[in-house]
DNA sequence: ATAATAGTGTCTATGAGACATTATGGG
DNA sequence: CCCATAATGTCTCATAGACACTATTAT
């Protein structure tokens, strides 16, 4: 706003969604197959432009999710992830995309919506290593989303959101292992989680039926922020590595 | 993108900057006095609209910083903070603002640039408690920026960026105390920081002149991510408080 | 000497990690 | 009985927090 009667340039605003879930003890991300140019036929994150100038960003995110993947999860909690606005990232012109992150328990198999040729769950590790190439800069967006999820497991009780309404402590451990990508000791995990006051509380329902001793069932506790945090192991610093 | 020949609506894109620094061992944020409507005369974060449709967001942020606060800190590292796009947050129409966060050592007293009537450093605690009301939703943006800074001190070596090129361990402690808003034990802090490999390294320059024993000088080490993190004390969870 | 700040040592409680052991179900 | 998984206990080491003490300058 340099001049009095100058009007700011308009840009196209889009939303992109990183929907993470757990399937077969592996972290998956929701992808759609693009039905229109550009990148027609490529896999991409669900998302799209604002419908009208007054549409709320979160509203647009939910709408795109329903349109492209036929998911009407009104209850899905979307969290702002980042903004991707490098000029040239979209061949259609100046598009600034606001990325949202959602994390949820075993979601249903998606079906392609009106705007997409297909929709499916994809293992995040296959996306991160480049085994499957995504449209636009969506690989970077997925990487940011996964890293955010990893960090959130440490200080928040988010992991319980990956599980169903009730779960065993082993179920919870699987979440941490899948998202962090490392194995954890069951005994120590058990102690740590139970000692974290307010994290999980016993559910007085039946136990989980399985081979072996039946496990107790728990549900998410009232605590949202964990203290002390569940610190994830990191390699120590050796004062000479290229990074850290 | 529902129809084939439908074009997305255009929105006005703005950037806002949360520039944090330390003055007199207190956290301060850079504010400008608005010279134009709306909110003319109110204090607000520096920022403004994109100049043209192809301008990069980070470029716009640096430009606004120079225009409004006469700061030509090209080297200032701006980090994406959040997006504020609630319809109605700006009376001029649909404005989506991308907030950036920067953290730097004792910056100079700002001078009002071409677009602002004034510029000054303001204590963040006075902004957060509402003692000074800001334009738009800028109080919320400041709160988000401060919380982000607090969290970053734990896992990154960011605190050294608040200091000059060399600093004493006490200087570093003042940073943590000011940002976290709590006192720390000097002896334990000393041990902890020195044991964190790669965090700080001794500078073989002179010692700091002061009354009392002269202090050793250090400079930032190569390590960017701290492990184990410098966990900030938090009140324990009592299973009944309204929050946690 | 005294004041003032820098830097070190020591003690204790707690948590992390490794791993043995017991408990409880189904074949 | 054996097998599989759940749940608990024990040991050791590292760290956090509290705080006494020594060191080095200026006045």
């Amino acid at each position: 706003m340099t001049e009095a009667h100058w009007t700011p340039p308009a840009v196209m605003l889009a939303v992109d969604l990183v929907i993470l879930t757990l399937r077969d003890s592996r972290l998956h991300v929701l992808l759609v197959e693009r039905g229109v140019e550009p990148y027609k036929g490529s896999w991409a994150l669900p998302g799209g432009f604002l419908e009208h100038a007054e549409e709320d960003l979160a509203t647009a995110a939910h709408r795109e999710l329903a349109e492209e993947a036929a998911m009407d999860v009104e209850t899905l909690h979307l969290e702002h992830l980042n903004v991707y606005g490098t000029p040239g990232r979209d061949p259609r012109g100046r598009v600034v995309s606001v990325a949202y992150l959602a994390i949820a328990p075993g979601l249903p198999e998606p079906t392609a919506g009106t705007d997409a040729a297909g929709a499916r769950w994809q293992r995040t590790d296959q996306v991160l290593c480049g085994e499957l190439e995504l449209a636009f800069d969506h690989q970077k967006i997925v990487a940011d989303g996964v890293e955010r999820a990893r960090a959130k497991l440490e200080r928040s009780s988010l992991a319980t959101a990956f599980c169903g309404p009730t779960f065993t402590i082993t179920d919870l451990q699987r979440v941490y292992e899948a998202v962090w990508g490392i194995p954890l000791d069951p005994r120590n995990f058990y102690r740590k989680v139970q000692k974290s006051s307010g994290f999980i509380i016993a559910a007085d329902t039946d136990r989980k039926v399985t081979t072996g001793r039946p496990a107790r069932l728990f549900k998410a506790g009232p605590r949202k922020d964990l203290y002390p945090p569940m610190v994830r192991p990191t390699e120590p610093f050796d004062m000479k590595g290229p990074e850290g």
Side-chain angles (χ1 to χ4, degrees), chain A:
Chain A
M1 43 196 192
T2 316
E3 298 277 336
H5 297 306
W6 169 88
T7 53
V11 302
M12 291 180 279
L13 200 63
V15 291
D16 281 313
L17 293 101
V18 183
I19 314 289
L20 298 179
T21 195
L22 218 59
R23 296 170 67 83
D24 319 315
S25 294
R26 284 181 184 279
L27 197 62
H28 286 68
V29 63
L30 180 63
L31 296 183
V32 299
E33 188 180 1
R34 288 186 58 80
V36 296
E37 294 292 349
Y39 292 99
K40 184 171 179 177
S42 287
W43 290 90
L45 293 172
F49 292 112
L50 286 194
E51 202 162 53
H52 56 271
E54 292 307 313
E55 189 178 33
D56 187 67
L57 287 170
T59 306
H62 277 106
R63 177 181 50 75
E64 290 291 343
L65 194 56
E67 285 179 9
E68 296 201 328
M71 284 200 177
D72 64 338
V73 256
E74 290 289 335
T75 155
L76 203 61
H77 174 68
L78 292 174
E79 163 186 334
H80 172 67
L81 178 60
N82 210 334
V83 173
Y84 301 86
T86 312
R89 66 180 284 276
D90 192 312
R92 289 167 292 189
R94 184 65 196 280
V95 175
V96 172
S97 180
V98 178
Y100 282 84
L101 174 68
I103 288 171
L107 292 170
E109 197 66 34
T111 54
T114 54
D115 295 348
R120 72 169 186 218
W121 292 108
Q122 178 76 34
R123 278 173 47 182
T124 54
D125 53 355
Q126 293 172 336
V127 172
L128 298 185
C129 76
E131 192 175 323
L132 177 73
E133 288 191 14
L134 301 188
F136 308 106
D137 49 2
H138 286 188
Q139 177 179 346
K140 165 71 172 152
I141 302 180
V142 171
D144 289 349
V146 170
E147 176 50 37
R148 172 74 66 91
R150 285 181 176 156
K152 285 203 76 169
L153 284 202
E154 294 191 89
R155 292 200 147 274
S156 81
S157 57
L158 171 70
T160 58
F162 271 105
C163 305
T166 65
F167 48 87
T168 70
I169 291 190
T170 304
D171 292 337
L172 194 59
Q173 183 184 341
R174 295 281 171 270
V175 175
Y176 276 91
E177 290 178 329
V179 177
W180 284 351
I182 50 173
L184 299 172
D185 185 286
R187 289 79 56 99
N188 295 335
F189 185 84
Y190 206 100
R191 265 193 300 110
K192 201 167 173 176
V193 166
Q194 280 211 317
K195 210 185 295 183
S196 182
S197 171
F199 189 6
I200 57 174
I201 54 184
D204 30 51
T205 45
D206 288 336
R207 300 186 157 216
K208 186 188 174 189
V209 21
T210 159
T211 170
R213 174 174 176 175
R216 281 203 295 237
L217 287 171
F218 295 84
K219 54 187 176 183
R223 179 139 215 190
K224 296 298 170 220
D225 296 297
L226 300 183
Y227 187 85
M230 305 273 298
V231 226
R232 63 183 140 155
T234 306
E235 73 292 344
F237 189 71
D238 58 358
M239 284 300 269
K240 50 179 180 290
E243 204 266 326

